[in-house]
Amino acid sequence: VNVYEGVMQTLIDELGRLPGVGPKSAQRIAFYLLKVDALDAKRLARAIEDAKDRVTWCRRCFNISEGELCAFCLDQRRDDHVVCVVEEPRDIVAVERTGEYRGRYHVLGGTLSALDGVGPEELNIAGLVRRVAQGGIREVIVATNATVDGQTTAHYITDLLHGANVQVTRLAHGVPVGGELDYLDEGTLAAAIRQRTPF
Ligand SMILES: [Zn+2]
């Protein structure tokens, strides 16, 4: 229901289109923005504009980038022999937070999905195959999500790279750090048993 008039309703409608923002939150944010300093509100508007104008996709790995190549592709200190394949740029942030990985990345831009009609052509898969074919990569770590679509995509990529001179690995699934066995769902515990490793 459109309770407000003109620009206020437009603002609420636009905010309500954002992911995870329902009508109530949209209204709350809109009123918050009305109350803040004009400069603060303009800075937000400017940040959105600048990001839309300047951020594109890395030519090599399809991460977000302000130039032809992203920071991870440009970083000379990273290991060229390993490529970690993720679904979205935000997954890179998650892997980086671990401090465990110093290789390169490749962003698929989603997962294969029969339901949503997403095929291999819609994802940045050809680019990955090309990178592997160019040589120099010893290991491809497929770090897609542990969802049905994520796992389907992982299988697809593994099959595709079969025969290429590269080792394809996947993230282990299992007991979360600090997790208790009787709180785990059967799927997670089953995967942990299957993927058990020697001490
Ligand atoms: Zn890149």
Side-chain angles (χ1 to χ4, degrees):
V1 213
N2 294 356
V3 186
Y4 303 98
E5 290 180 59
V7 289
M8 189 58 178
Q9 188 60 51
T10 306
L11 178 58
I12 293 171
D13 289 345
E14 291 301 325
L15 289 168
R17 263 199 266 274
L18 300 174
V21 180
K24 278 215 170 127
S25 302
Q27 191 177 310
R28 199 157 32 96
I29 297 167
F31 275 102
Y32 167 80
L33 288 172
L34 274 192
K35 276 188 235 158
V36 300
D37 201 80
L39 279 177
D40 288 337
K42 288 215 166 92
R43 206 166 46 235
L44 170 63
R46 180 72 183 278
I48 295 172
E49 241 174 51
D50 284 351
K52 288 305 289 180
D53 285 347
R54 301 224 299 263
V55 178
T56 56
W57 310 108
C58 173
R59 191 162 50 87
R60 185 177 299 155
C61 77
F62 300 95
N63 183 22
I64 54 167
S65 176
E66 286 191 38
E68 289 228 319
L69 294 176
C70 74
F72 296 104
C73 287
L74 286 173
D75 189 345
Q76 303 282 347
R77 292 160 305 178
R78 299 194 76 102
D79 185 355
D80 284 321
H81 301 108
V82 196
V83 173
C84 179
V85 178
V86 293
E87 292 181 18
E88 302 289 350
R90 63 174 181 270
D91 298 325
I92 294 181
V93 180
V95 175
E96 283 300 302
R97 267 201 308 258
T98 67
E100 283 287 322
Y101 183 70
R102 293 299 298 163
R104 305 288 179 183
Y105 288 98
H106 192 88
V107 181
L108 295 172
T111 54
L112 298 172
S113 170
L115 210 64
D116 299 325
V118 182
E121 317 76 41
E122 273 80 41
L123 302 176
N124 304 318
I125 289 178
L128 174 65
V129 175
R130 214 164 30 239
R131 285 177 75 181
V132 171
Q134 278 164 359
I137 298 172
R138 289 196 210 114
E139 180 181 0
V140 171
I141 304 171
V142 184
T144 51
N145 291 333
T147 57
V148 172
D149 286 342
Q151 296 307 299
T152 305
T153 309
H155 279 295
Y156 180 85
I157 289 170
T158 306
D159 287 349
L160 205 61
L161 294 178
H162 188 79
N165 191 21
V166 69
Q167 188 187 16
V168 182
T169 57
R170 287 166 61 183
L171 297 186
H173 303 297
V175 183
V177 174
E180 295 178 32
L181 293 199
D182 63 347
Y183 279 99
L184 290 184
D185 64 282
E186 301 85 58
T188 302
L189 189 51
I193 292 170
R194 277 198 306 273
Q195 299 181 28
R196 66 190 181 278
T197 54
F199 268 106

